[in-house]
Amino acid sequence: MALLINERCINCDMCEPECPNDAISMGPKIYQIAPERCTECVGHYDQPTCVAVCPIDCVKPDPKRQESEAQLYEKFVELHFDI
């Protein structure tokens, strides 16, 4: 499933540069994750880098975006390879 950044975000700027899919950007008040670009780092790393670097644990699974690891991998392929 895609991830989301909840309202506890303190805009520390740690997550955005770590995202290999360019899925994280500044929203109106806090950082946000574009679900169509979030693969939970499948295809890149063993765990989501935004979760690993967040100092306050505000990056959580998005309950509205249930995706299997196979679906996340397919999204990774679509984002990074001309097929």
Side-chain angles (χ1 to χ4, degrees):
M1 74 180 53
L3 299 171
L4 61 82
I5 298 172
N6 67 31
E7 67 281 348
R8 292 182 57 215
C9 176
I10 58 171
N11 297 324
C12 69
D13 302 321
M14 295 294 292
C15 60
E16 182 186 25
E18 294 298 322
C19 182
N21 297 315
D22 295 323
I24 301 174
S25 62
M26 179 55 87
K29 293 184 180 182
I30 61 173
Y31 279 95
Q32 58 190 14
I33 299 175
E36 67 278 2
R37 297 194 64 82
C38 180
T39 65
E40 292 189 34
C41 292
V42 168
H44 292 284
Y45 306 110
D46 292 335
Q47 66 174 337
T49 57
C50 59
V51 172
V53 300
C54 182
I56 60 165
D57 194 33
C58 70
V59 183
K60 302 293 181 185
D62 184 346
K64 296 178 185 173
R65 301 285 298 203
Q66 300 287 327
E67 296 171 294
S68 68
E69 187 165 343
Q71 290 170 309
L72 292 170
Y73 185 77
E74 182 62 32
K75 193 187 314 184
F76 159 76
V77 170
E78 290 173 8
L79 287 170
H80 296 283
F81 300 98
D82 289 332
I83 296 180

